[in-house]
Amino acid sequence: MALDVTDSAGRADQLLAGLLLAPGRRERITHVHRAPARTARPADWPAWTPPVLVERWGACGIDRPWAHQVAAAEHAHAGRSVVLATGTASGKSLAYLLPALTAVLDAADGPATACPGVLYLSPTKALAADQLAGLTRLQLGPELRPACFDGDTPYAERDWIRSHANYLLTNPDMLHRTLLPGHARWARFLKNLSVVVVDECHTYRGVFGSHVAQVLRRLRRVCARYGSSPVFVLTSATVSDPAVSAERLTGLPVVEVTDDASPRGEAAFVLWEPPLTDHQGEGSAPVRRTAIAETADLLTDLVLNDAQTVAFVRSRRGAEVVALLTRDALAEVDPALAGQVASYRGGYLPEERRALEHRLRAGLLRGLAATNALELGIDVAGLDAVVLAGYPGTRASMWQQAGRAGRAGQGALAVLVARDDPLDTYLVHHPDALFGRPVEATVLDPDNPYVLAPHLCAAASESPLTERDLDLFGPTAELLLPTLEQRGLLRRRPTGWFWTRRDPASALADIRGTGGAQIRVCEVDTGRLLGTVDGAASHTQAHTGAVYLHQGRQYLVRSLDLAECVALVEPAEPDYSTSAREVTDIAIVDTVHRRPWGEQVEVCFGTVEVTNQVVSYLRKRLVTGEVLDETPLDLPPRHLRTRAVWWTVTPDAVAEAEVEIADLPGAAHAAEHASIGLMPLFATCDRWDIGGVSTALHPDTMLPTVFVYDGHPGGAGFAERGFAAAEQWLRATRDAIASCECATGCPSCVQSPKCGNGNNPLDKAGAVRLLDRVLAEADDIETDDIETAGTDTAESVEFAAAG
Ligand SMILES: Nc1ncnc2c1ncn2[C@@H]1O[C@H](COP(=O)(O)OP(=O)(O)OP(=O)(O)O)[C@@H](O)[C@H]1O
């Protein structure tokens, strides 16, 4: 594309011009989106603001609040729960600190036992630590007693926190596992709880969000027991329908504030497509240069250009590799700079992460390759540029990551580097799908019986459940209670439902849905613990033969022992990466909704039983992506009862689409892969959160069928969104396949990185014709046309301790 950036003097354009100096770079840009600068709209401090706060914030350079900060603070001060949905770095912290600290300081002269308390919830420990540092800087004296309470808090400090803290910074996990089950020990704090801050509330989505919604209901119930009724303040830079989402999350009426009055520097957001290479992938398909290699090049150039840059990489492994390649490249030019580049991801020890955050803030690190563990709200000032190695899965996440650059009103550059997959390819060629559109709806289903059942047990163990509590937990609660009684988990007595066991009920709910026990990753010779991997992820990431990376060092997994929950690794220097392959079977348990599209096509939504097995892994050259070989694995199958969307098509329609019977498996398979790739455009999910199966004849439908299912027990709401937006979703799928420049299918359109059948068979042209036929009589779903057929799954719920 024609691009003239040289005559503009802005910082973003200077950096972009620097990137374009290398040959062949200009052609890789598919679009530049520009966000103009915005001037600030300040307001007066509310009359009720304690003078000490005005003075302390003034000392930090904040002379007047911005209008949106005052609007949100006034709502909270008046007792109305509020969600503040304004851009990254728009000062959302001050908006909740103002009413929260006012409540604490106003009561400072009263009795210590009645001092109002603030509960601050953040999805990550790092964000809570960042907030605590900000509170401490305000130096408000002994009236404010803030404390972080998370898994890293030493036991010796916990007693002090319970007895004295009046500003508790914690996370939903601690609330669920420690604070609520042990509420009697926290009675002082809960009785006086006046403000609950739910920071970065858009992160509470899918299964995790549904669990958090129930944890918040349990919190409200316990508070009511102690006589308190806290106001909720929620924040997010990237949530659509803020009030609706916040109401679903808290179960309370919530007002929204969305008019952003903070200043912003000019920003450029560049879409970037790596070139095709001469290498051949599976089935001799062309291979694009990897987003990892391309990102490492951009990070190198930006660091050389004196731009402090964070590269966001989707996988932990990818973050390590980008840091490694960047350091190598810088070492050739300026060895001192190589030492100023690092990687950051979950799974590092807390002290390692804190040290990296500190070096980044202090400007000692010039380049960082990070996973989204760094994404949320950590106040990193002065970032000049952000590179996104692959679309992070949602527009919400994309804006969060891009928003790390250009804080405090500077100009900034963001570059999205497309990975070799259908969604990324579609997006860099359809900028309208990214810019000028609201972020996607937060998918949340607190009524999912798999989610609700363990929280009902937990609530009963916190205080017996009564009829009056049922409203709080929603209509599914009443349906579930008889099942929980039958299973012997709850017992009904005249005064309510009681938890019957001695073990903690909260252990029934794995709120992060991490899929079972953590696997410890240990060095074989020294026994040193390097980190941990989730149980469910261990089959794909820590199988025997996998390449595992930690702090830039590579290891090979020598063995994975699922019974002992340990993977033994040894240091190694392979020049390849590994990717696991899995095969999947699916059976329909219950069809909840059916939607015919004419006579020949039907789209359905319901409950399915999925059997998944990792069967092999591929070795791929690190930088080129070339496939070296495939090695079989012997891992047990995993079973999952979940929700799926599926479509069927009759043999007549297949014939009308001019797809031969012999080509049907390849056409359906290609359509399935691409539709999984495109689903994140419609539901807030990641392609790894969902899976698919396609078959030319499914035993339950007796028709050619393509399924896409939620990869979480009980479902996560993604398949349901796919069903609701089926026409747009399948149309985008069809367009993504048709517009890919390859001849017969490649990773940018119909190949899938985790296909257990080696991406075979795949028929790209057949998929387009099949989808054209499927869509021929499609129309937008009207609720009235949806036939609700099945029963819900309340009776079939199974979870951890129920079996
Ligand atoms: N009214 C104001 N005037 C000037 N600076 C302000 C004002 N309010 C906040 N700031 C500054 O703006 C920066 C960003 O604030 P903060 O981190 O609270 O933003 P945020 O909206 O919470 O960001 P994120 O979306 O990353 O969580 C901070 O350095 C803060 O000191």
Side-chain angles (χ1 to χ4, degrees):
M1 67 180 292
L3 184 78
D4 187 3
V5 292
T6 43
D7 18 323
S8 170
R11 176 74 170 140
D13 286 337
Q14 281 169 7
L15 293 177
L16 182 53
L19 291 180
L20 297 183
L21 291 178
R25 287 269 180 84
R26 205 165 274 263
E27 295 73 54
R28 301 182 195 175
I29 295 180
T30 60
H31 181 77
V32 180
H33 172 81
R34 290 178 190 280
R38 181 178 59 209
T39 45
R41 273 184 293 120
D44 291 331
W45 293 105
W48 43 263
T49 312
V52 63
L53 286 180
V54 176
E55 187 239 306
R56 293 299 144 84
W57 273 319
C60 301
I62 301 176
D63 296 326
R64 294 180 73 197
W66 293 314
H68 63 273
Q69 293 174 317
V70 173
E74 290 282 14
H75 283 301
H77 187 70
R80 288 184 293 273
S81 290
V82 57
V83 54
L84 177 59
T86 47
T88 22
S90 61
K92 293 185 290 298
S93 316
L94 186 141
Y96 58 75
L97 285 173
L98 182 51
L101 295 177
T102 300
V104 171
L105 297 175
D106 278 357
D109 298 333
T113 47
C115 175
V118 179
L119 178 70
Y120 168 89
L121 293 174
S122 85
T124 64
K125 290 186 217 165
L127 182 52
D130 198 60
Q131 286 288 318
L132 179 62
L135 277 176
T136 314
R137 276 196 297 275
L138 285 178
Q139 297 183 340
L140 287 170
E143 283 85 28
L144 180 70
R145 296 178 297 279
C148 266
F149 181 67
D150 60 32
D152 301 336
T153 308
Y155 277 84
E157 281 175 27
R158 296 187 177 197
D159 277 346
W160 184 91
I161 293 173
R162 274 192 291 265
S163 318
H164 300 288
N166 58 3
Y167 198 114
L168 192 69
L169 301 110
T170 186
N171 51 55
D173 311 64
M174 290 301 275
L175 205 53
H176 164 63
R177 269 187 286 114
T178 307
L179 218 131
L180 290 173
H183 60 82
R185 305 175 75 195
W186 292 88
R188 176 200 65 87
F189 180 77
L190 292 166
K191 191 170 82 181
N192 296 312
L193 187 56
S194 93
V195 180
V196 177
V197 178
V198 185
D199 206 2
E200 309 285 359
C201 64
H202 63 278
T203 55
Y204 303 121
R205 62 179 178 84
V207 175
F208 177 48
S210 308
H211 277 293
V212 173
Q214 292 300 350
V215 171
L216 294 181
R217 282 158 180 74
R218 278 165 53 205
L219 171 69
R220 287 175 44 215
R221 176 170 173 265
V222 168
C223 283
R225 208 187 125 167
Y226 288 105
S228 64
S229 167
V231 66
F232 281 68
V233 185
L234 303 96
T235 75
S236 170
T238 45
V239 61
S240 68
D241 271 343
V244 174
S245 306
E247 285 177 3
R248 269 200 120 177
L249 189 61
T250 58
L252 287 168
V254 180
V255 283
E256 64 181 35
V257 172
T258 56
D259 190 7
D260 195 334
S262 64
R264 188 174 65 185
E266 199 208 15
F269 201 133
V270 178
L271 301 185
W272 189 283
E273 186 173 48
L276 286 170
T277 64
D278 296 335
H279 297 288
Q280 293 196 338
E282 225 160 36
S284 307
V287 178
R288 260 179 218 288
R289 188 151 192 268
T290 61
I292 298 280
E294 197 83 349
T295 298
D297 282 359
L298 297 180
L299 183 57
T300 305
D301 288 358
L302 286 162
V303 170
L304 284 171
N305 238 333
D306 199 27
Q308 194 187 30
T309 307
V310 170
F312 283 102
V313 188
R314 304 227 2 189
S315 69
R316 292 176 169 197
R317 170 177 306 151
E320 302 272 8
V321 174
V322 167
L324 207 70
L325 294 174
T326 307
R327 277 200 296 261
D328 283 353
L330 286 172
E332 286 176 20
V333 189
D334 181 350
L337 278 179
Q340 296 173 25
V341 171
S343 57
Y344 180 106
R345 62 168 177 83
Y348 285 174
L349 299 172
E351 45 284 18
E352 289 175 331
R353 290 172 61 164
R354 296 299 98 78
L356 286 168
E357 287 158 22
H358 171 75
R359 288 179 62 206
L360 187 65
R361 257 189 229 112
L364 300 173
L365 274 181
R366 304 304 299 163
L368 187 68
T371 62
N372 63 2
L374 187 77
E375 174 183 324
L376 294 170
I378 296 172
D379 187 11
V380 178
L383 279 189
D384 301 295
V386 164
V387 182
L388 282 62
Y391 179 61
T394 60
R395 288 187 294 283
S397 204
M398 180 183 91
W399 289 116
Q400 281 286 338
Q401 296 183 346
R404 297 300 101 202
R407 307 187 70 122
Q410 314 146 5
L413 176 69
V415 184
L416 168 62
V417 180
R419 283 181 311 160
D420 206 3
D421 86 11
L423 181 57
D424 284 28
T425 308
Y426 179 83
L427 292 174
V428 291
H429 290 287
H430 295 82
D432 290 352
L434 288 178
F435 304 113
R437 287 180 58 166
V439 296
E440 42 287 275
T442 310
V443 178
L444 195 70
D445 181 13
D447 292 334
N448 175 344
Y450 288 80
V451 170
L452 178 57
H455 289 286
L456 286 176
C457 294
S461 78
E462 283 149 17
S463 160
L465 276 172
T466 64
E467 300 271 354
R468 268 180 306 149
D469 294 320
L470 295 182
D471 274 354
L472 179 71
F473 290 105
T476 315
E478 205 169 343
L479 298 172
L480 273 172
L481 286 170
T483 312
L484 297 173
E485 270 184 79
Q486 273 164 22
R487 296 253 164 93
L489 293 167
L490 295 184
R491 183 170 304 138
R492 188 164 195 181
R493 297 213 176 99
T495 47
W497 285 270
F498 286 69
W499 171 242
T500 56
R501 302 192 177 188
R502 294 179 69 84
D503 43 338
S506 55
L508 296 181
D510 171 13
I511 72 168
R512 301 255 173 191
T514 49
Q518 296 273 307
I519 302 287
R520 286 165 294 128
V521 181
C522 298
E523 215 173 25
V524 76
D525 290 332
T526 61
R528 189 164 72 99
L529 176 66
L530 294 179
T532 55
V533 181
D534 298 339
S538 66
H539 290 228
T540 49
Q541 288 176 18
H543 57 77
T544 304
V547 176
Y548 181 82
L549 283 109
H550 180 76
Q551 271 294 9
R553 299 187 59 182
Q554 304 187 59
Y555 296 83
L556 272 181
V557 179
R558 195 188 268 182
S559 65
L560 168 64
D561 186 336
L562 292 171
E564 291 294 322
C565 294
V566 66
L568 293 176
V569 302
E570 59 194 358
E573 295 286 325
D575 61 351
Y576 58 84
S577 65
T578 49
S579 76
R581 290 299 181 77
E582 56 190 9
V583 290
T584 308
D585 257 352
I586 200 162
I588 297 172
V589 176
D590 184 19
T591 306
V592 178
H593 299 308
R594 293 174 181 282
R595 162 83 186 182
W597 281 349
E599 302 283 308
Q600 316 278 352
V601 175
E602 192 169 57
V603 185
C604 301
F605 168 74
T607 304
V608 293
E609 182 86 29
V610 178
T611 308
N612 244 315
Q613 188 170 19
V614 171
V615 289
S616 65
Y617 67 95
L618 292 187
R619 294 190 312 142
K620 288 187 192 165
R621 250 192 233 299
L622 215 48
V623 179
T624 60
E626 191 189 349
V627 176
L628 296 172
D629 56 22
E630 182 170 2
T631 309
L633 287 169
D634 184 21
L635 284 163
R638 288 161 298 154
H639 301 280
L640 176 73
R641 181 169 284 212
T642 183
R643 300 294 198 132
V645 51
W646 63 93
W647 48 270
T648 58
V649 47
T650 63
D652 288 350
V654 173
E656 284 166 33
E658 295 179 10
V659 174
E660 298 291 326
I661 289 300
D663 298 333
L664 179 58
H669 195 196
E672 172 222 321
H673 280 181
S675 69
I676 292 174
L678 270 291
M679 175 73 101
L681 261 192
F682 300 91
T684 321
C685 68
D686 182 297
R687 82 173 285 158
W688 302 91
D689 285 335
I690 50 179
V693 175
S694 60
T695 153
L697 180 67
H698 192 274
D700 294 331
T701 61
M702 297 306 290
L703 289 168
T705 311
V706 174
F707 293 87
V708 174
Y709 62 86
D710 289 347
H712 299 270
F718 308 138
E720 195 167 3
R721 290 282 307 166
F723 176 73
E727 192 210 337
Q728 299 98 306
W729 169 43
L730 294 181
R731 212 170 278 293
T733 302
R734 182 247 172 243
D735 291 348
I737 305 175
S739 63
C740 181
E741 64 196 278
C742 74
T744 55
C746 72
S748 298
C749 54
V750 296
Q751 290 194 343
S752 158
K754 61 173 186 176
C755 175
N757 298 316
N759 280 304
N760 190 24
L762 286 178
D763 181 342
K764 176 177 170 175
V768 174
R769 291 201 301 278
L770 187 63
L771 285 167
D772 275 338
R773 177 60 192 86
V774 164
L775 286 159
E777 287 161 81
D779 47 13
D780 282 329
I781 291 187
E782 301 284 338
T783 321
D784 293 350
D785 295 340
I786 300 174
E787 199 184 309
T788 301
T791 56
D792 217 330
T793 50
E795 282 175 18
S796 55
V797 173
E798 303 217 357
F799 53 96

